[in-house]
Amino acid sequence: VAMAPHTGPVVTRFAPSPTGYLHIGGARTALFCFLFARHHGGQFKLRIEDTDAERHNEEAVTAIVKGMEWLGCNHDGEIVRQSSNKKRHQDVAADLIKEGKAYKCFCTKERLDELRAEAEKNKVPFRYPGTCRDLPQDHVGPAGIDPVVRIKTQTEGHTAWDDEVQGTISFPNKDIDDLIILRGDGSPTYLLAVVVDDHDMAVSHVIRGSDHISNTPRQIAIYEAAGWTPPRFGHIPLIHGADGQKLSKRHGATGCEQYEALGYLPEAMRNYLARLSWSHGNDEIFSTEQAIEWFTLDACSKSPSCFDFAKLQDLNAHYIRECDPARLNALVLKLFPDVEPFKKQFEMATGMLKPRAKTLIEYREAGEFICAKRPITIEEKAAKGVGGANKDVLKEIVELLTAYSGEWTAEALEPVVVKFAEEHAPPLKLGQVAQPLRACLTGSSASPGIYEVMWVVGKEEVIGRCQDAIQGKNPIKEAPKKEEKPAANEGGKEKPKKGGAPAAAAADQPEYTKLEIKVGLLTKTWPHPESEKLFCEEIDVGEANVRSVCSGLRAFYSEAEFCAGKKVAVVTNLKPAKMAGFESCGMVLCAANEDHTKVELLEVPEGAKVGERIMLEGVEGEPLQPNQVAKKNILKNVLPDLKTDGAGLACWQGKPMMTSAGPISAPTMKDSPVG
């Protein structure tokens, strides 16, 4: 599909299904759509894809809308409900039938199941054979069968498009069957509804996750059949957890409303999400206005990003420190209504609480001393500060403060306490006064400055808490007990001491680690002069000289696609082999479907260093010597367990192949063998 540069108004859309909360991946997609539209002075629209009545959840719609409002991604115009366009979807399907570009299919579910089983038995992908493709339009099917409507797709050539993020993507048309666009009950399928709605909404750019790449050639087929110009597509990489797997509930909170409840500020989340697979130089902290000014899709990475909770917390701490005090305390009050009676004190304490918090929960915890009920609970460690002779010090402080009639501010109280310590008989160090005061006022041995604490708590409460401590009324919170570490490891053997000789290589070294798989950079490529299937290439793998390698990729990549500057994953310790007379000193790894009709180079994440070894997390072992591994021994033991998972990550025995910049992947080849 030839896609000329877009010159008209920019319209993006976020189109979630109302089946749950606004998860982080969806929030990032919405944010990118919002930033792109605002950057170009265009419109950002919201569409609820609610055609699946069984899974529809109106509470989820509310959660999505609230999540977007919290995030600050405000959409333009009214919310579009896909279900309200059902008649329009049906009319388009009817028009396609009249024009001979779609047809009614009378094949039963039982017959299709038989065909699928047969394809599975023969280990080939199932493709609808076009049984009803050439039936006349007035054909009357068997009684009792409600036909579906299928679109006629191309059977030869490729469907390709210039993706705004991923570059040129191509699918063989033989792998795209005549997909269903209207079910037997007359309801539209997702693929038809999306295309019609995007066209009617004048969407110019479809920005979505890379897990939708496989849908795109099918949607393009519908656009072409309807005679409409497809929008520009930009498929942003998925978000992974620290283990390299697609972000999910097992990694922690994944919904926007969860992050609000956990005390994150929306501006921190916007900033953090914007940096997941998009960058502007080395800028890490920037305003939403700056993000709008800078945002372009060509600055997006092709590789999955890793969600780092620690980085998000650090960023949130920055925005808490920068937040307007009135707004900050309003957010705290919204999360913690119990703070309402102490609103004034929290406003007074804002400056001392900000530096102590990475989230609003931590902010509230840091201010616990403000609203603690008497007698307050004192931590076991801090309780030592209110016993023995310290009780006498507290009694004297109570007498001092009771008689004190001056201004009750931190600045005024400091010289009073300092003078008390200096003139005490015998003189006291300031810590000998501050320690028992801190314990009985906050219940902790660590707190904001003691004079600020006294000021915020107030004179009457300070005296009352000191009296509680003097009278021994405070409950004591025991310190958590440390787990005792066993002196010996499993089997009763002593643990090796640090600094000893390195352990010998294990006899049962994992087969994968015997291979040396590195990040390589193509420096030169050319078609093999004597074979139409092969490319010759020179690859920099961090050694003194480039490696000469031969790859059977000409059937799947053009010379423009397989060119210098591309990073690849290369096995570098295989024995050299002749390929049509060309000596190949390595093997470039790819993912492929079962019948090898579709092949995709493994994608190396941006930032991975040329020459670094591609390892498995938690798996160690030194590779065998360079250029010594025969394909018939080690390689045959590795390849059966080398495949992509459901998220497109390249794995060995389920463990992702990792670089210093993240996992290796094949976004469009899920659950596929690698070789």
Side-chain angles (χ1 to χ4, degrees):
V1 178
M3 291 188 174
H6 181 76
T7 57
V10 166
V11 178
T12 63
R13 50 75 167 171
F14 177 54
S17 298
T19 56
Y21 52 77
L22 177 61
H23 60 81
I24 287 300
R28 196 267 307 261
T29 298
L31 177 64
F32 279 23
C33 292
F34 170 81
L35 294 175
F36 187 82
R38 294 293 181 262
H39 175 81
H40 291 282
Q43 290 191 314
F44 167 58
K45 298 185 177 182
L46 174 61
R47 182 174 73 232
I48 302 297
E49 301 197 331
D50 56 352
T51 53
D52 189 340
E54 290 184 2
R55 299 180 64 208
H56 176 78
N57 181 348
E58 193 59 30
E59 290 182 359
V61 176
T62 302
I64 290 168
V65 172
K66 285 185 176 179
M68 290 181 63
E69 289 175 351
W70 175 78
L71 191 61
C73 293
N74 299 315
H75 60 88
D76 298 304
E78 296 295 321
I79 298 174
V80 175
R81 297 271 187 159
Q82 194 169 70
S83 58
S84 65
N85 299 332
K86 181 177 179 180
K87 178 64 167 56
R88 167 67 171 154
H89 303 150
Q90 293 171 331
D91 290 344
V92 170
D95 290 342
L96 292 175
I97 293 175
K98 290 178 183 177
E99 295 168 6
K101 296 176 180 177
Y103 59 93
K104 293 180 180 180
C105 173
F106 299 90
C107 295
T108 63
K109 179 181 182 299
E110 291 73 21
R111 176 55 182 156
L112 294 175
D113 288 343
E114 289 175 4
L115 293 172
R116 286 192 184 89
E118 187 176 341
E120 187 174 341
K121 180 180 178 181
N122 296 328
K123 296 183 178 180
V124 296
F126 171 71
R127 189 177 191 276
Y128 175 67
T131 307
C132 303
R133 184 181 176 107
D134 297 319
L135 292 176
Q137 291 186 16
D138 58 356
H139 177 80
V140 178
I145 293 180
D146 295 320
V148 300
V149 176
R150 293 180 181 270
I151 195 163
K152 292 182 179 179
T153 57
Q154 300 291 328
T155 57
E156 298 180 354
H158 287 71
T159 294
W161 71 96
D162 294 325
D163 196 271
E164 297 285 309
V165 175
Q166 303 291 338
T168 301
I169 299 177
S170 178
F171 283 79
N173 286 333
K174 64 182 181 62
D175 292 341
I176 307 170
D177 62 1
D178 290 356
L179 55 120
I180 297 172
I181 60 174
L182 213 63
R183 302 182 183 91
D185 62 2
S187 62
T189 61
Y190 162 79
L191 292 170
L192 175 65
V194 166
V195 169
V196 175
D197 289 349
D198 281 346
H199 170 74
D200 290 354
M201 293 169 66
V203 172
S204 64
H205 292 76
V206 172
I207 302 170
R208 57 190 179 185
S210 59
D211 50 344
H212 284 278
I213 287 177
S214 60
N215 288 330
T216 307
R218 293 165 173 80
Q219 291 171 354
I220 288 175
I222 297 174
Y223 274 106
E224 291 182 330
W228 300 333
T229 301
R232 304 287 301 190
F233 292 97
H235 291 91
I236 54 181
L238 301 179
I239 302 174
H240 291 166
D243 58 358
Q245 299 294 314
K246 183 179 177 181
L247 191 69
S248 64
K249 290 181 180 179
R250 62 190 172 86
H251 294 106
T254 56
C256 269
E257 78 281 6
Q258 290 176 283
Y259 284 92
E260 181 181 10
L262 288 171
Y264 289 90
L265 303 188
E267 54 266 41
M269 183 60 78
R270 283 197 301 272
N271 191 156
Y272 184 71
L273 289 180
R275 284 290 288 112
L276 292 179
S277 297
W278 175 81
S279 63
H280 181 266
N282 294 321
D283 293 297
E284 292 289 343
I285 298 176
F286 43 79
S287 67
T288 302
E289 291 72 25
Q290 288 174 311
I292 290 171
E293 178 186 350
W294 297 337
F295 190 85
T296 58
L297 289 175
D298 57 11
C300 292
S301 166
K302 296 180 182 180
S303 304
S305 52
C306 181
F307 196 94
D308 189 325
F309 290 91
K311 284 186 178 180
L312 173 59
Q313 280 197 342
D314 290 342
L315 197 59
N316 200 56
H318 165 80
Y319 281 102
I320 285 176
R321 292 192 297 271
E322 296 295 315
C323 191
D324 173 73
R327 174 172 173 259
L328 182 62
N329 284 293
L331 292 172
V332 172
L333 189 59
K334 179 181 177 183
L335 277 183
F336 305 102
D338 64 313
V339 167
E340 176 64 39
F342 310 94
K343 181 179 178 181
K344 182 179 178 181
Q345 288 97 317
F346 266 85
E347 291 172 352
M348 294 165 61
T350 301
M352 68 176 80
L353 299 181
K354 277 185 175 184
R356 311 181 72 84
K358 290 187 175 182
T359 67
L360 296 185
I361 290 178
E362 291 184 3
Y363 185 94
R364 168 64 178 82
E365 289 173 348
E368 173 60 25
F369 71 90
I370 297 173
C371 40
K373 293 182 179 180
R374 291 178 49 197
I376 70 170
T377 299
I378 299 180
E379 295 174 359
E380 185 176 6
K381 181 180 178 182
K384 298 174 183 178
V386 295
N390 288 332
K391 284 193 177 184
D392 294 330
V393 173
L394 287 175
K395 289 177 183 178
E396 294 178 60
I397 291 175
V398 168
E399 292 175 4
L400 173 70
L401 297 179
T402 301
Y404 176 70
S405 59
E407 187 178 4
W408 194 268
T409 65
E411 294 77 14
L413 290 169
E414 181 175 1
V416 173
V417 176
V418 170
K419 182 180 179 182
F420 167 79
E422 292 175 346
E423 296 181 354
H424 192 273
L428 299 172
K429 292 181 180 179
L430 197 56
Q432 291 175 288
V433 179
Q435 184 182 10
L437 268 176
R438 178 173 285 110
C440 66
L441 297 185
T442 69
S444 173
S445 57
S447 74
I450 191 61
Y451 310 117
E452 286 78 8
V453 169
M454 293 173 68
W455 166 58
V456 169
V457 170
K459 180 176 179 178
E460 183 179 338
E461 185 72 9
V462 167
I463 293 173
R465 292 186 186 188
C466 288
Q467 289 173 333
D468 288 341
I470 294 167
Q471 296 168 19
K473 292 183 178 180
N474 303 92
I476 306 301
K477 180 181 180 182
E478 292 186 8
K481 294 180 180 180
K482 295 182 179 179
E483 293 184 11
E484 294 184 7
K485 295 183 179 179
N489 62 7
E490 189 176 348
K493 297 179 181 179
E494 291 186 3
K495 293 185 177 181
K497 296 180 180 179
K498 293 182 179 179
D508 58 345
Q509 177 179 346
E511 292 291 323
Y512 175 93
T513 64
K514 296 177 183 179
L515 293 180
E516 188 173 57
I517 304 176
K518 290 185 173 182
V519 173
L521 178 69
L522 297 177
T523 59
K524 182 180 179 182
T525 65
W526 66 96
H528 194 296
E530 298 179 17
S531 173
E532 295 181 354
K533 297 181 179 180
L534 302 176
F535 273 117
C536 302
E537 58 259 17
E538 290 181 352
I539 307 178
D540 178 4
V541 291
E543 299 170 343
N545 300 308
V546 295
R547 280 182 174 256
S548 297
V549 179
C550 197
S551 304
L553 295 170
R554 282 181 70 184
F556 309 100
Y557 286 88
S558 66
E559 291 182 48
E561 294 169 325
F562 191 70
C563 59
K566 189 175 187 67
K567 287 183 181 178
V568 291
V570 194
V571 184
T572 59
N573 60 344
L574 298 178
K575 286 184 177 180
K578 293 281 187 179
M579 297 183 69
F582 185 91
E583 188 175 71
S584 179
C585 301
M587 183 174 77
V588 175
L589 293 179
C590 305
N593 57 7
E594 290 291 340
D595 59 2
H596 222 72
T597 56
K598 181 183 177 185
V599 172
E600 180 182 3
L601 285 164
L602 292 189
E603 192 169 282
V604 177
E606 183 179 358
K609 298 176 182 178
V610 172
E612 74 171 279
R613 192 177 176 202
I614 300 171
M615 292 295 292
L616 305 173
E617 192 168 356
V619 178
E620 298 179 354
E622 290 297 317
L624 300 181
Q625 292 297 310
N627 307 318
Q628 296 299 312
V629 176
K631 289 186 177 182
K632 292 183 179 180
N633 49 41
I634 303 300
L635 197 61
K636 75 174 184 179
N637 295 331
V638 174
L639 291 183
D641 293 321
L642 200 59
K643 57 189 68 176
T644 59
D645 64 9
L649 296 182
C651 302
W652 186 73
Q653 293 187 352
K655 297 181 176 66
M657 297 170 63
M658 300 292 292
T659 70
S660 60
I664 302 290
S665 64
T668 69
M669 299 294 292
K670 300 174 182 177
D671 299 314
S672 302
V674 171

